Amino acid sequence: MAILQLEEITMEFGGLRALDVVDIEVKEQQIFGIIGPNGAGKTTLFNIITGIYLPTGGKVIFKDRLLNKMHAWDVARQGIGRTFQNIRLFNKLSVLDNVRVGSHGVSRSGFFGSILGLPGSRREEKTIMEKAEQLLDLVGLGDKKLEYAENLAYGEQRRLEIARAMALNPSLLLLDEPAAGMNSTEKMGLMDLIWRIRNEMQLTIILVEHDMNLVMNICEQIAVLDYGRKIADGPPEVVKNDERVIQSYLGAEA
Amino acid sequence: MDALISQYIDPYYLRILMLIGINIILALGLNLITGVTGQLSMGHAGFMSIGAYTSAIFSMQMGSPFFLSLLAGAMVAAFFGFLIGIPTLRLEGDYLAMVTIGFAEIIRVFFLNFEPGGKAVGLSGIPQNTTFVLVWTLVIIVIILNAKLLNSRIGRAFYAIRENEIAAEASGINSTRLKVLAFTAGSFLAGLGGGLYAHYMYFIRPQDFAFMKSIELLNMVVLGGMGSIPGTVLGSVILTLLPEMLRVVAEYRLMFYGALLVILMIFRPNGLLGDVRVYDLKKKLQGKKVGLWQSSN
Amino acid sequence: MIWQQLLNGLTLGSTYALIALGYTMVYGIIQLINFAHGEIYMIGAFVGLFLVVNTGLNIGVALLGAMAFCMVLGMLVELIAYRPLRGRASRLSGIISAIGVSIFLSTLMVLIAQTNTRRYPDIINIQTFQVGDLQVSSLQIIILVVATLLMVGLQLLVQKTRVGKAMRACSQDLDAAYLMGINVNRIISFTFAIGSALAAAGGVMVGIYYNAVWPYMGTMAGLKAFAAAILGGIGSIPGAMIGGITLGVLEILGVAYLSSSYKDAIAFGILILVLIIRPQGIMGQKITKKV
Ligand SMILES: Nc1ncnc2c1ncn2[C@@H]1O[C@H](COP(=O)(O)OP(=O)(O)OP(=O)(O)O)[C@@H](O)[C@H]1O
Ligand SMILES: [Mg+2]
């Protein structure tokens, strides 16, 4: 069953065509990789899925709903969580608060409930807190709860972004270069984390990543972008041996 | 109670204490908008004037009871905050600053031409209902409610918008809606402070709420530390006292005030308490203890 | 009648434009609303007055003198109050620092010159020409010519010279400009110098035109010029010119045909309306922010 369908997505910035009629289909509980050289349009695709950019053409369908014109916050509430390539944490908030903010889209308490401390909103606060602590333990930041997010190391910040996205109880998680800046031990830990998230929480994950080792190891399906065009789509073994992919991308690395 | 207080406290100090209290309420309102949510408002005095005039007119011309006048002033200010907020809070940072300046100027010019408000001469003979006990009771209530708000789902969302609006939206936060909420709540407090001010000063004029007044309030928020309640309270106390203390330098007073702002920003760019947290202080202290222990070993 | 109002509006608007240019150039490079800019304009008016009255200089020379003085003043303000904050403080701290400078300078001027309004002596023999129904004063012509020359000069400077190129590079991306070997601090300093000189020219001309110079003249003029810069699209030099002139013309028309008691509200009302309809200003470009 497809959870996400991108149909003929096109995106133009001024004269630049960053995405050129791209079709992608992601199945439920898949770990789906998107690879391609710098500037291929990978991040742009994430921004379109999450409602940050309005595509010039095409459709984004998530669980049979058209997302195209939805606001970013509304898309998030549909159950799509994401991380950012250039880390976007709430720097002057504590690690714990970063994750608690992540639950905003799946909680209810309003203004008056909050200032009056009504029972409903106190109960909700408690669940939000428990959830946040669980998630911080999951990504291994349990002992840094009260640090400012900006004081974390790079790899920790990336994991905090994952925890924050998970607080939304997403059914689809988008990770934009989660391994960037990590050393190989950290990368191993990350791979393990991604596996666990998917298996224990029955999530679908789309991963943009430059580390081929990680991508080939972990992804079940991979799409390759090049200059805004999709040039290949298939399981790792197929993509790895595709002529055009080797030429335009893998070849360059080898 | 009030009689007792006015018996034991010198009228001059009493006056300063009253103004400190009123300024704390006003500044906490602006703190919600600018300090916490990060939306630069430079027209807070405009909303204050709406509260001041509305409540004064309610009391003087409609003979309404004091608390009702206060509430009316705050509500009307909040309503205008809401009205202005909807179309303008989509604007980015400094454009919003300009719109708020502009709105406050328009309000000031409106009151300059407003017959029931006495035009440029202003209103005098407003009943002096604002008492010491009332002001400080309200200060305490406002601080408690503010603290509760900032510690809640909504408060955290406000901070998140300030820190990174795109990431906030990706967490399901409808930032436009919450900005309007912060602006409305902040304007409510501006109106409340304005009503208290009018019923304390006995006399109000449009120029009492000019650009400089908005700037004074903004200074309190930034000086104390953006988004911090203790910071805002401290900023209000200092900046209400400062002009009084600078009386010794007489006509150089405002010059010193200006220079001090520059110097403070250079040495404490995040405000006095902007990035001070009990947690960090504790950690520092513990770190020192550990250090001592190690060196004695 | 309408032509007369348009001419008067154009004259007023060109002085707004001169001040607005300083806001926009500084904003374009370091994203700071320089609230002290209105005070620089006011001090320019005073220096011109001082030179004319106390040294008997020709008004043209006095104008240049005021510009030179404010150039140095603008650079000093940047050096003392803004540079120490750069890169380590939020934008708001910069704004508060600018407000501090603005309060400092206007009270300094009150101490020196008292609060009463001063006038330029009748140095220029103002003649009025009748062109059809239109009354054109020689002063208006001078203001329009000087303002035009300054703006054309600025445009040439920014578009054609090496410094101008460096300024444009800085406003595109300060960090990249730094990496390319541009002395960023010098360019910022230079930008303040140019902006301040233009404001001083505006100050002297307004002082003569309205026959009034006083220490608080910078506040409202500064706010309106800032409004003009935003109206045009902040960061855009042609935008500041168009914004200034639009605001001046509409303000005069508003006073003539609507109500003079709402004079100061008209400029801001227009600004708010324009921003609601077109959030990026008249000349500003709508860009999709990179995420
Ligand atoms: N908001 C924008 N405005 C203009 N151009 C943009 C914008 N966003 C992206 N682009 C352009 O679109 C193209 C694709 O960019 P994108 O960030 O999607 O690439 P990417 O595949 O994520 O690359 P990388 O591996 O470097 O992250 C680039 O040429 C980029 O400059
Ligand atoms: Mg990318």
Side-chain angles (χ1 to χ4, degrees):
Chain A
M1 240 281 279
I3 185 169
L4 179 77
Q5 290 152 281
L6 304 177
E7 293 177 3
E8 305 188 347
I9 295 288
T10 297
M11 183 75 205
E12 282 170 6
F13 297 108
L16 177 88
R17 189 165 263 224
L19 288 173
D20 197 359
V21 203
V22 173
D23 286 289
I24 282 177
E25 191 176 297
V26 181
K27 297 216 160 50
E28 235 166 281
Q29 296 193 39
Q30 214 169 31
I31 299 184
F32 190 102
I34 297 178
I35 61 173
N38 292 112
K42 306 178 296 290
T43 300
T44 303
L45 202 61
F46 272 16
N47 287 337
I48 286 173
I49 298 171
T50 50
I52 292 175
Y53 294 165
L54 184 67
T56 319
K59 286 183 192 161
V60 180
I61 299 162
F62 175 68
K63 291 184 175 167
D64 299 324
R65 290 185 71 165
L66 191 66
L67 295 192
N68 279 39
K69 288 190 178 156
M70 246 182 222
H71 291 288
W73 59 268
D74 207 356
V75 173
R77 289 178 183 200
Q78 304 298 316
I80 301 185
R82 74 171 287 184
T83 67
F84 296 88
Q85 179 178 357
N86 48 342
I87 299 173
R88 288 178 173 272
L89 287 169
F90 309 124
N91 279 332
K92 285 262 183 251
L93 294 189
S94 69
V95 166
L96 180 68
D97 279 347
N98 267 271
V99 184
R100 288 203 285 173
V101 169
S103 326
H104 189 94
V106 286
S107 41
R108 304 264 83 77
S109 299
F111 181 79
F112 291 104
S114 297
I115 59 172
L116 301 177
L118 300 183
S121 78
R122 262 190 288 176
R123 233 175 295 129
E124 193 176 73
E125 275 297 308
K126 226 177 115 211
T127 10
I128 290 176
M129 183 67 124
E130 282 163 6
K131 177 86 180 291
E133 290 185 328
Q134 250 172 21
L135 285 170
L136 283 174
D137 287 337
L138 178 75
V139 300
L141 290 173
D143 54 342
K144 305 239 159 152
K145 277 191 280 232
L146 294 180
E147 293 294 335
Y148 274 139
E150 67 181 355
N151 293 340
L152 294 185
Y154 202 68
E156 292 173 330
Q157 295 198 345
R158 292 222 173 267
R159 279 183 279 145
L160 176 55
E161 276 216 329
I162 295 178
R164 180 179 67 188
M166 295 288 298
L168 198 58
N169 291 336
S171 42
L172 173 64
L173 181 64
L174 311 180
L175 303 175
D176 199 346
E177 305 202 12
M182 286 188 173
N183 62 32
S184 50
T185 337
E186 281 178 308
K187 278 183 191 169
M188 294 297 285
L190 178 74
M191 265 202 276
D192 184 53
L193 177 67
I194 295 175
W195 267 106
R196 274 174 46 208
I197 290 175
R198 196 272 301 266
N199 295 343
E200 287 168 19
M201 310 186 184
Q202 282 97 43
L203 276 178
T204 313
I205 295 175
I206 308 182
L207 186 73
V208 165
E209 188 45 67
H210 282 295
D211 185 316
M212 277 311 120
N213 206 352
L214 192 147
V215 172
M216 294 300 169
N217 256 316
I218 205 172
C219 297
E220 293 140 357
Q221 179 89 8
I222 296 172
V224 188
L225 291 182
D226 189 24
Y227 288 110
R229 292 228 171 92
K230 190 175 86 174
I231 55 172
D233 192 346
E237 319 75 64
V238 177
V239 168
K240 228 186 291 191
N241 299 317
D242 187 288
E243 268 313 304
R244 288 171 66 191
V245 176
I246 292 169
Q247 253 179 26
S248 78
Y249 189 46
L250 297 174
E253 290 228 329
Chain B
M1 181 76 179
D2 275 300
L4 215 68
I5 285 165
S6 55
Q7 207 177 337
Y8 285 100
I9 303 181
D10 182 274
Y12 173 70
Y13 293 110
L14 192 62
R15 181 188 153 85
I16 293 175
L17 285 174
M18 296 283 275
L19 289 178
I20 287 178
I22 295 173
N23 280 337
I24 289 176
I25 293 175
L26 290 164
L28 281 174
L30 183 59
N31 182 50
L32 274 183
I33 301 170
T34 301
V36 177
T37 317
Q39 306 304 303
L40 180 50
S41 164
M42 304 184 84
H44 206 55
F47 296 98
M48 179 189 174
S49 73
I50 294 178
Y53 273 95
T54 307
S55 66
I57 289 172
F58 261 66
S59 290
M60 292 168 69
Q61 285 161 25
M62 302 158 94
S64 94
F66 178 45
F67 87 94
L68 198 69
S69 306
L70 271 186
L71 189 67
M75 296 287 272
V76 174
F79 175 72
F80 274 94
F82 176 75
L83 216 63
I84 286 292
I86 291 174
T88 56
L89 285 166
R90 291 165 210 275
L91 295 173
E92 300 229 336
D94 299 334
Y95 282 48
L96 179 67
M98 185 68 241
V99 168
T100 51
I101 293 174
F103 176 71
E105 278 302 307
I106 292 173
I107 290 290
R108 189 178 63 84
V109 174
F110 170 79
F111 283 127
L112 272 176
N113 293 289
F114 184 53
E115 201 77 59
K119 294 194 159 183
V121 182
L123 278 177
S124 59
I126 306 165
Q128 278 183 300
N129 288 327
T130 303
T131 63
F132 181 86
V133 174
L134 175 73
V135 167
W136 283 91
T137 313
L138 282 175
V139 167
I140 290 165
I141 294 175
V142 169
I143 289 178
I144 291 174
L145 293 186
N146 246 284
K148 284 209 161 164
L149 177 67
L150 296 189
N151 226 330
S152 73
R153 167 179 181 261
I154 302 289
R156 285 191 299 268
F158 286 161
Y159 282 115
I161 291 171
R162 176 189 83 184
E163 290 294 304
N164 197 318
E165 192 168 342
I166 287 170
E169 292 240 325
S171 303
I173 293 170
N174 180 347
S175 63
T176 309
R177 191 161 159 250
L178 281 171
K179 283 190 229 170
V180 173
L181 179 61
F183 210 75
T184 309
S187 304
F188 181 91
L189 290 181
L192 180 64
L196 289 170
Y197 179 84
H199 287 79
Y200 174 64
M201 295 307 271
Y202 171 79
F203 166 48
I204 52 174
R205 293 166 306 176
Q207 75 212 60
D208 298 339
F209 313 97
F211 183 55
M212 232 4 248
K213 182 69 193 177
S214 297
I215 293 305
E216 230 172 77
L217 294 169
L218 181 65
N219 288 341
M220 291 173 188
V221 173
V222 180
L223 181 82
M226 300 266 291
S228 140
I229 295 176
T232 304
V233 171
L234 183 68
S236 315
V237 174
I238 291 178
L239 287 185
T240 316
L241 286 178
L242 189 67
E244 301 298 327
M245 300 201 292
L246 287 178
R247 270 182 205 283
V248 285
V249 288
E251 66 262 49
Y252 297 96
R253 194 169 74 155
L254 270 176
M255 242 174 83
F256 270 86
Y257 182 90
L260 271 174
L261 286 183
V262 176
I263 292 166
L264 270 163
M265 283 303 113
I266 290 175
F267 290 102
R268 296 283 311 164
N270 291 318
L272 293 170
L273 297 180
D275 40 17
V276 178
R277 293 189 310 172
V278 178
Y279 169 74
D280 295 313
L281 291 178
K282 263 196 201 150
K283 209 170 73 171
K284 234 187 210 162
L285 231 67
Q286 274 165 3
K288 282 221 181 89
K289 265 189 221 143
V290 171
L292 270 176
W293 180 72
Q294 278 172 337
S295 64
S296 67
N297 236 349
Chain C
M1 187 53 189
I2 175 104
W3 292 108
Q4 186 68 49
Q5 303 300 350
L6 281 177
L7 176 70
N8 296 348
L10 198 63
T11 314
L12 177 65
S14 63
T15 63
Y16 284 159
L18 283 180
I19 317 173
L21 282 167
Y23 277 110
T24 239
M25 290 195 300
V26 165
Y27 193 90
I29 292 190
I30 54 174
Q31 282 80 51
L32 169 78
I33 311 177
N34 179 13
F35 273 104
H37 194 59
E39 273 57 48
I40 302 268
Y41 151 91
M42 173 273 293
I43 288 177
F46 268 104
V47 172
L49 179 73
F50 175 83
L51 290 178
V52 169
V53 173
N54 291 23
T55 65
L57 280 177
N58 163 289
I59 180 66
V61 182
L63 180 79
L64 291 177
M67 289 173 72
F69 184 91
C70 287
M71 260 188 174
V72 176
L73 182 63
M75 283 161 55
L76 258 163
V77 166
E78 190 272 328
L79 186 70
I80 295 171
Y82 307 150
R83 189 172 300 179
L85 289 169
R86 202 139 66 228
R88 56 183 208 97
S90 75
R91 300 230 313 256
L92 205 54
S93 320
I95 290 181
I96 300 293
S97 191
I99 289 168
V101 175
S102 145
I103 296 173
F104 181 87
L105 290 178
S106 58
T107 31
L108 181 68
M109 214 59 215
V110 170
L111 289 180
I112 296 174
Q114 262 68 59
T115 46
N116 46 354
T117 303
R118 284 151 194 270
R119 298 173 201 297
Y120 272 82
D122 297 326
I123 28 171
I124 305 177
N125 186 10
I126 302 176
Q127 288 173 339
T128 310
F129 308 100
Q130 193 77 27
V131 185
D133 288 343
L134 204 59
Q135 297 208 349
V136 189
S137 82
S138 51
L139 196 54
Q140 284 182 317
I141 298 178
I142 293 174
I143 291 177
L144 287 172
V145 169
V146 172
T148 312
L149 282 179
L150 287 173
M151 287 192 248
V152 171
L154 177 69
Q155 210 43 334
L156 287 177
L157 176 85
V158 171
Q159 296 299 334
K160 299 279 193 260
T161 63
R162 264 179 69 92
V163 192
K165 208 168 168 185
M167 284 168 77
R168 279 182 289 146
C170 286
S171 74
Q172 286 272 321
D173 187 338
L174 212 52
D175 295 328
Y178 176 75
L179 291 176
M180 277 159 47
I182 293 173
N183 185 338
V184 170
N185 278 335
R186 239 185 38 218
I187 295 299
I188 293 174
S189 207
F190 184 73
T191 307
F192 272 86
I194 299 293
S196 306
L198 294 176
V204 172
M205 293 196 296
V206 167
I208 301 173
Y209 186 53
Y210 287 110
N211 211 2
V213 177
W214 77 103
Y216 295 120
M217 69 188 277
T219 314
M220 191 48 78
L223 286 182
K224 283 188 191 161
F226 176 39
I230 286 202
L231 185 66
I234 196 149
S236 150
I237 289 180
M241 299 178 191
I242 291 176
I245 288 170
T246 312
L247 213 57
V249 169
L250 290 177
E251 191 174 301
I252 295 282
L253 289 181
V255 170
Y257 296 106
L258 296 173
S259 153
S260 64
S261 35
Y262 284 91
K263 175 166 181 284
D264 286 339
I266 291 170
F268 298 113
I270 293 164
L271 177 82
I272 292 176
L273 280 183
V274 170
L275 284 185
I276 288 171
I277 299 164
R278 201 178 148 80
Q280 68 273 31
I282 299 173
M283 296 291 282
Q285 279 178 3
K286 193 172 163 59
I287 44 163
T288 313
K289 247 206 311 197
K290 221 168 187 171
V291 173

